[in-house]
Every structure is written in C-alpha cells, then in structure tokens.
Amino acid sequence: MRIAAAAGPGGGGTLRTLAEDGTPAAPARAVPDLVAAIADQERAAAPRWVWPSTARLYPRLLDAGVRVARCHDLELVESLLLGHAGRYGEPRSVAAAWARLRGEPVPPDRPPDEPAPQPSLFDDDPERDAPADDIGRIVAVHAAQQRAIAGLDGFALLAAAESAGALVAAEMRRDGLPWSAAEHDALLTELLGPRPTGGLRPRRLQDLADRISAAFAPSSGPHTHVNPDSPAQILKAFASAGLPIPSTRAHVLKRIDHPAVPLLLEYKELSRLHTAHGWAWLDTWVSGGRLRPEYVVGGVVSGRWATSGGGALQIPRVLRRAVVADPGWALVVADAAQLEPRVLAALAGDRAFADAAAHGDLYAALSDAFHDDGAGGLDARGKAKLALLSAMYGGGTGEAVQLLAVLKRRFPDAFEYVEAAARAGENGRLVRSRLGRTCPPPSAGWRELTSAGDDSGRGTAAQALRSRGRFTRNFVVQATAADWALALLGSLRRRLTVLQPPPTAIQGSSSARRPAGGTASAAPGAPRLVFFQHDEVIVHTPAGLAAEVTAAVHAAADEARRLLFGDTPVAFPMEIAVVGRYADAK
DNA sequence: TGGGCCGGCGCG
DNA sequence: AAAGCGCGCCGGCCCA
C-alpha cells in the first residue's frame, strides 16, 4: 500500500491512500496533525509514503521520533526519470513535474542554498503564509512516475533504492557518527602544536614555513618570504634555484633534490589537516560527540552521494582514530572489496573474468594472466590491478598499454563492455547503469566542438571526444557500483530494523516534542547506520549485537548482488571489522 | 569586500 | 607527447 502525504498549513496536511500503480484507492482526507497521522499509519500499515522530498520532510518526522520503513521520493525519482529521458538537470519539483504533465510553463527549482518557504507541514508558526503541498498534484505526478517506471527495466528498484537512501541520509545526519572531540584535539595538538589563537598558523606549521623560506634563501635572498600556501611563489622560488618545475604537486616535488622539498611535503600534509579538518572544522561539524554532515543523495551524476558540508566523504585516514564507539557499543566497519572491477565482471558477463571474481582477491586471481618479471616494477598482481584501472578509467600509457592488450585477449567481454561505453560517449550517446541511472548528455558546446570534423586525433575537439569517452567508460562501472551500494544500504537498513528491540508505542501524541511512535521508532540500544562512503558502511551497535549486524551486512551484500545481477557467479565479498575505533578497522 | 577560478589534495 | 574516473574544500589570486 502507498499513501500520499501533503503538508498543509499549521502542521496539518492531507493523506490519500493509493494503489501500487498510483490510482487513488480512497478519498483524500485532511488531518490536523500530519506527524501524528503518519505515525499512526506507519504503525498500522507501514505503507510506502509518497511525498515530494524526503530531505525536506523527514527530518521533522525524525525530530518527533517517527521513523518510516519505506517511501517514494517524488523529486529524486523525477530526477532519475528526466535523466533517463536525456533531460538531465531539468526542474524536478512536484510543481515542475505537474507543469510538464499539463504542457504548461515549468517553474525552475529553487537553488539548493536558498531555504524553502518552509512548508506549513510541521511549521511552528501557523501564522506564516507558506504554500502548502497540493495532494492532487502529488497523486498525479506519482501516477505518471509509476507509469514511466513500469516500462523501464530495473527502474522500480532504482526508485525504491534512491528513496531508501534519502531516508538513510536523514537518519544518519540525525544519529551522527560517534566522534571524540578529545581524540581529535589530541591528534591535532600532537601533529600541529597547541591550538593557536586568532588566525595564526599553528606552531609546527609556522616553524616549517620559516624553514622553507630559509631553505630558499641562498637563491631567493635572505629576506624573501616564500609562502608555502602559494603555488606561484613556490614555483618562482624553485625557478630561482635553477629547478624549474611544472607544478608543486607532491609527486613532482618528490622527484627533485632540494632541501626545501621534504619541508614542503610535510607542510602540505599538515596544512591540509589543519585547514580542512582542524579545530575550526571540529567546532563546526561535531557536537554532542557526533559528526553530523549534510549528505546529498544522488548528488553525483553516477548516483554516488555527495556532501554539502562537513566533508564527511573526505575524512583523512589519520582522523579515523577520533571515531570511537560509545562505551558498551561497537563499530561494525564493512567495506566492499574491489567493488568496481567485480561490478564490471558481473555487468559484462565475462565468463573468464567472473570465474576469477568468484571469490577471494580479484587482482590475485587475475594475476596469472600477467607475468611477474621479477626485479623492480610491478608484480603480476600489480599489473592486473593497473590493467583493470586503466580499462575502467580510460588510462593506458606506458606499461599500461601492454597490460591492456593482455586484458583484451584474456577477458574480451569485459574489455569490450567498457570500450563500447567509451564509443557511445564519444558519439554523444547516453549510457546507463544496471538499474537505469543515466549519464548526462553532452553539452551544446561539446557538440559544436566535436562536430567540426577534426578527426586528426589532435586538438581540442579530439580531447573533448576522448574526455567524454573516459567519462562514459567509467560511468557504467561507477554508477552500477553505486546501484549496488544503494541496494546494500536499503537492505541493511531493513535488516537492522528487525534487530531492534520492539518499539515502545506512545499513544495519541500530537506534539512534535514528544516521540510519536512509528513502526521503526527510535529505540535506545538499537544498531544504527552511521556512515556510508561509496563502498563502505559503518554501523554503531550495542556490542552484544555486533555478530548479528555482521551477518546482516553479509546478507545485504548478497541480496544486492542478486537484485542487480540475478545468478551471476561474481561474488561481492565484504571485509568486515568489529572495532572500538574506526582506525582499528584495517 | 565578495565572487569566481585555480592549484592542490583529501576520500572512494 | 601526454593523458586516465568521480567528488568537496581550502587558500591564493584576480577582478569588479
């Protein structure tokens, strides 16, 4: 069963029960307290909730202690359908979708940084005149989406997985990643020196900066300051020292012999930590022992999540020691091993490749196709890995050229799969993930540039062609990996709910301040998904449930494999560690 | 002073 | 000859 929910003024709203295909199954009914009504229905029927935007509505339900099992997020699904139709980026609001259905002018979406005139729904101030959701439009747009989805293989699963992802993202933000500010501060102090006051550099960084200027003094002059934060100044300083370099990237610096190099490398590393994840970051994003970043579901074209604050997907490995389970709790850290090449094996149906991917270390299994020439350079496993990465990313220079040839000979179907995706991209066509997530079409500028007929293989037109080829080549793999990860996440979330102790039902609450119950309402002592990073999840769980959580992760990974690839022989093993702190996971 | 681009590097 | 995929965020730097 599905129920459409529309926010009305003053915390009220409208519900309407729907059949699976979106046909109304009962009249719409107004409810005075939408949160309470949703909680009641969730308890009674656990429907799939049909609403405009989980990101906007669900946090308020969570505030009231209400969790729901399933939803259909109209905006996210609209985005997916538009993308599939080659209309990437068109407005996705219910109002826009409704206008498209009626052939009327389509209103633009609100820029994401502009706060919505906050719905009415859950609004504390009933006096405020915010526009309410329109239940009629919601029902009509949903029905149209269901008709479209029914004609697209895999899309029903994609829509459900994307919507479940939105629920998880909101819940993870609310629950937060356990984060020890004390550990974080201790690490910063250990590496950088005490926290400085006013915008000063920490002691250790200032010391390095001074020594860097000194190291350049013989060529740049004794009184010249070289700001290590300025690539331009560094380039100039090296040029003065007779060492012209194309950039100040770490791998370039490592190749030259100059006393400033080790200082610069150390400075870069520490400065990065200080500016990106230092004390200011700690103050901003960690509170109450939890990191609460803003996740953006579907924020990457491939279906990966992005963040719009908190940098949760770029947390440096050294900081993992600050991620500490609560006393009596544990972190179940689970990582999909070699996900993308396994996805390629399953996508391509390459028999030889799939057999190699059936278990264990994929690269090692492939390595007998490559030979180990002893001394120096890559071993056979390293060659296998480089060949695969080159195939999936569109690289292939130097040694990789030979390795790609080996890959092509031994695993022709896998090789051809990504080659075909690259050709499609170069021809301006669209490519799709397993479940139907679709890459954006090329821009008008790209079409103009590449239609000029320059087939010399050189010049900007050829570069643009190859660039799009690399993009679509990678898209099919990365986006299908994202499909798999979303399916895993949804499955795991459902399985964790079952592990939770039965919720304590609280009857008749109509206040947003009191927990309003709900089938999967917040229960202390329940395992929670607290982190998701492309191919890795962390569950924070009472230590006594860690074994069950581990089993749930394995089961979810297998379910995701089955949902995407049916009876493929390719395995998707999870590497799982039960630890007290994230840093101990591997 | 604020916006936007760039170099560089963190994560996958 | 050189080049691989996807992000977010920071400081420097240029410009209005």
Side-chain angles (χ1 to χ4, degrees), chain A residues 164-436:
Chain A
L167 295 174
V168 173
E171 290 167 359
M172 290 203 314
R173 176 123 208 254
R174 161 152 274 272
D175 293 328
L177 179 65
W179 194 279
S180 165
E183 276 289 339
H184 188 161
D185 179 68
L187 180 78
L188 293 175
T189 303
E190 177 186 319
L191 294 174
L192 301 169
R195 180 175 190 168
T197 51
L200 294 177
R201 280 195 182 109
R203 197 177 61 210
R204 181 89 182 123
L205 284 179
Q206 187 56 51
D207 178 49
L208 283 165
D210 293 343
R211 289 160 64 201
I212 287 163
S213 284
F216 284 118
S219 48
S220 298
H223 303 297
T224 308
H225 280 284
V226 178
N227 180 358
D229 288 322
S230 168
Q233 289 185 30
I234 305 282
L235 289 183
K236 208 170 122 198
F238 275 113
S240 300
L243 292 165
I245 47 176
S247 84
T248 67
R249 287 187 186 51
H251 69 93
V252 172
L253 293 183
K254 277 175 192 157
R255 290 199 303 259
I256 57 177
D257 181 25
H258 187 278
V261 166
L263 302 171
L264 277 167
L265 294 175
E266 187 176 358
Y267 181 90
K268 279 169 179 285
E269 193 178 331
L270 295 178
S271 169
R272 165 89 200 172
L273 180 65
H274 176 241
T275 57
H277 290 95
W279 288 282
W281 180 90
L282 182 58
D283 289 348
T284 305
W285 295 105
V286 176
S287 62
R290 296 288 188 270
L291 167 62
R292 301 174 193 281
E294 291 164 18
Y295 298 97
V296 184
V297 175
V300 180
V301 291
S302 65
R304 283 181 169 189
W305 291 9
T307 52
S308 68
L313 303 182
Q314 296 101 237
I315 295 168
R317 297 179 80 95
V318 295
L319 269 185
R320 291 182 180 186
R321 74 180 229 200
V323 180
V324 184
D326 291 349
W329 290 58
L331 299 170
V332 178
V333 180
D335 183 292
Q338 302 157 338
L339 178 58
E340 292 196 352
R342 290 175 190 281
V343 160
L344 175 56
L347 270 177
D350 186 304
R351 196 51 209 256
F353 196 176
D355 287 345
H359 29 247
D361 179 344
L362 173 63
Y363 298 130
L366 292 183
S367 64
D368 64 356
F370 301 85
H371 38 85
D372 196 339
D373 47 18
L378 294 169
D379 61 9
R381 183 183 181 281
K383 289 178 178 178
K385 183 173 180 176
L386 178 59
L388 269 173
L389 292 179
S390 298
M392 293 188 300
Y393 288 166
T397 58
E399 189 178 9
V401 175
Q402 318 299 332
L403 301 179
L404 278 171
V406 175
L407 191 73
K408 178 180 184 177
R409 193 169 66 247
R410 291 290 295 270
F411 309 109
D413 295 336
F415 186 85
E416 177 55 22
Y417 194 91
V418 283
E419 287 296 313
R423 286 195 302 271
E426 293 192 9
N427 290 331
R429 299 202 306 273
L430 305 178
V431 297
R432 310 185 196 283
S433 75
R434 179 69 164 195
L435 296 184

Side-chain angles (χ1 to χ4, degrees), chain A residues 3 5 15 29 31 33-47 49 51 58 61-62 64-69 122 503 505-511 514-521:
Chain A
I3 302 180
L15 301 183
R29 62 190 174 92
V31 295
D33 182 338
L34 190 56
V35 173
I38 288 175
D40 287 345
Q41 287 298 311
E42 180 70 18
R43 254 194 316 271
W49 292 99
W51 54 39
Y58 195 41
L61 286 163
L62 292 172
V66 179
R67 294 190 178 222
V68 304
F122 326 112
I506 296 174
Q507 297 298 323
S509 169
S510 62
S511 159
R514 276 192 291 154
T519 305
S521 83

